Amino acid sequence: METKFLKINPADNVAVTIVTLPAGEKLMVDGEEITLNEEVPPDTNLP
């Protein structure tokens, strides 16, 4: 499994993408599924 994002500080409520993510990609962040509506470039904060 490829790492697609990092949560730098577990107490933060954001994660940072480390690769380009395509529209429609589904991510599980802190037990919550997020579906991306558009392509997201690296170094983008995800709420």
Side-chain angles (χ1 to χ4, degrees):
M1 178 185 277
E2 176 185 15
T3 302
K4 299 177 181 185
F5 65 90
L6 293 174
K7 192 165 181 189
I8 309 238
N9 182 340
D12 286 345
N13 63 349
V14 297
V16 179
T17 61
I18 57 174
V19 296
T20 299
L21 302 174
E25 179 87 19
K26 294 179 190 251
L27 304 173
M28 189 65 73
V29 180
D30 291 338
E32 183 176 334
E33 185 176 78
I34 297 172
T35 302
L36 303 176
N37 294 327
E38 57 189 47
E39 183 176 277
V40 179
D43 300 323
T44 300
N45 290 341
L46 301 173

